[in-house]
Amino acid sequence: MVNVEKFIDQAVKQIRDAAGNDKVVMALSGGVDSSVCAALATRAIGDQLVPIYVDTGLMRKAETERIQSLFADANLRVVDAADEFFEALAGITDPEEKRKAIGEKFIRIFEREAKRTGATMLLQGTIYPDRIESEGGIKSHHNVGGMPLDIEFKGVIEPLADLYKDEVREVAGGLGLPAEIQHRMPFPGPGLAVRVLGEVTEEKIAVVREANAIVEECLVEEYHPWQCFAALIGLGTGVKGDVRLHGWIVAVRAVQSRDGMTADPLLLPYETLSRMATRITAEIPGVARVVYDVTPKPPATIEYE
């Protein structure tokens, strides 16, 4: 386990030494990793930090409004880049190519924003599992294997690169961050794009966003999963109102884990599964069926792509 006080002191020094007198731009998503980075950087360099929230159009329901409210006092710059991300993803079906396209777009946006603010350094919330999965070829994380090789920043600062997720949560507690942030479920950097199998479109994202919100409403408070979500995995036939439907198949995933390197599916009661499936098919017109994923990690990854 991490020595929290010692780590905080070392991370603050690392950020301060790396930044020098330069301004530092960072992506603040509202997750525990980026929030811890922001708190550490605020201690280290104060107003030299330029936090940016990029609305990719691939975020959870009401996420942008939540982030703006939660970090209202952080001088947060909000960039609406949904059109840019959908354009970058058009026609792409391969999971790795999706992640790389998203990583490329993130970097180009940060470079653009850095020029506007005079920032020359990039701060990222990369954690150890991100590095392991990217370097091991399991999947490219947008902030590691998905990053382009040609970046315009003088350097990249990654103070959490040797920590697991549970250790990051400990550091969040040591920094006094709100419990809402400290214990928030992981959400992938590429957003809902990796919860849509095949090409990403605005229609598919709208469906999976609503399904994801229903899953969280049904499971988070009662079962406290390490992670739970919905994914759009294809099309299937169904019947609604005595009319044949060729609609979306939604897969629900809910797991427990300590650090994300391994995970076990939650064995949910049938009544819960039935209630959740009924809500998803009733509230989202285009959904024909709902399935529940009981595969552990390994052999499956937690996310679908």
Side-chain angles (χ1 to χ4, degrees):
M1 302 300 287
V2 65
N3 182 319
V4 172
E5 290 185 9
K6 182 178 180 181
F7 174 82
I8 291 173
D9 290 342
Q10 290 174 339
V12 167
K13 183 178 186 303
Q14 176 192 353
I15 295 169
R16 185 178 293 131
D17 291 347
N21 295 319
D22 293 336
K23 282 190 175 182
V24 178
V25 69
M26 73 159 293
L28 182 54
S29 68
V32 65
D33 302 337
S34 67
S35 297
V36 166
C37 268
L40 291 169
T42 299
R43 289 193 183 191
I45 57 176
D47 292 341
Q48 290 172 243
L49 178 67
V50 182
I52 296 174
Y53 170 77
V54 179
D55 184 351
T56 63
L58 307 169
M59 309 305 288
R60 284 176 283 199
K61 188 174 182 178
E63 185 77 346
T64 297
E65 294 79 7
R66 173 190 167 276
I67 298 301
Q68 288 176 310
S69 174
L70 197 57
F71 296 98
D73 299 326
N75 295 317
L76 183 67
R77 296 173 64 90
V78 177
V79 178
D80 182 356
D83 290 345
E84 294 182 63
F85 278 88
F86 281 114
E87 182 180 349
L89 288 165
I92 299 176
T93 59
D94 180 78
E96 278 298 287
E97 292 305 312
K98 276 199 230 176
R99 286 177 172 270
K100 289 177 181 177
I102 291 169
E104 168 93 22
K105 182 55 63 177
F106 265 119
I107 286 295
R108 300 312 170 208
I109 289 171
F110 291 136
E111 288 174 342
R112 186 174 70 208
E113 294 302 312
K115 288 178 181 178
R116 291 175 179 171
T117 60
T120 60
M121 302 288 290
L122 175 66
L123 177 70
Q124 293 197 139
T126 309
I127 63 175
Y128 191 63
D130 296 343
R131 294 168 51 202
I132 293 297
E133 292 190 332
S134 291
E135 293 167 6
I138 297 170
K139 59 184 178 183
S140 292
H141 287 262
H142 74 292
N143 54 350
V144 187
M147 281 183 65
L149 296 176
D150 57 321
I151 62 174
E152 297 180 6
F153 292 101
K154 286 170 56 177
V156 179
I157 310 170
E158 297 177 318
L160 310 182
D162 293 325
L163 297 188
Y164 287 97
K165 179 70 74 173
D166 58 322
E167 295 174 322
V168 177
R169 296 191 195 282
E170 289 184 52
V171 174
L175 290 165
L177 294 179
E180 178 188 359
I181 292 176
Q182 185 180 353
H183 299 293
R184 197 166 195 228
M185 285 193 303
F187 185 68
L192 297 173
V194 294
R195 295 178 182 174
V196 170
L197 272 62
E199 183 180 8
V200 175
T201 66
E202 292 187 55
E203 178 196 359
K204 293 177 183 177
I205 291 296
V207 170
V208 80
R209 179 181 290 120
E210 289 298 323
N212 193 85
I214 292 170
V215 170
E216 290 191 7
E217 288 171 12
C218 290
L219 300 184
V220 170
E221 291 297 325
E222 186 171 357
Y223 297 100
H224 307 290
W226 193 80
Q227 193 171 5
C228 68
F229 58 88
L232 212 60
I233 62 173
L235 290 164
T237 55
V239 179
K240 284 192 174 183
D242 296 326
V243 177
R244 180 182 183 275
L245 169 70
H246 192 223
W248 300 113
I249 303 171
V250 169
V252 175
R253 188 128 165 89
V255 300
Q256 290 293 12
S257 180
R258 187 178 71 87
D259 53 23
M261 298 300 291
T262 61
D264 292 309
L266 284 182
L267 302 180
L268 296 172
Y270 176 78
E271 292 76 12
T272 299
L273 294 172
S274 178
R275 182 172 66 252
M276 189 162 46
T278 298
R279 280 197 59 189
I280 292 171
T281 54
E283 296 177 27
I284 309 174
V287 175
R289 68 180 65 203
V290 177
V291 298
Y292 186 60
D293 188 336
V294 296
T295 320
K297 176 184 180 180
T301 54
I302 296 176
E303 297 286 347
Y304 276 78
E305 290 191 344

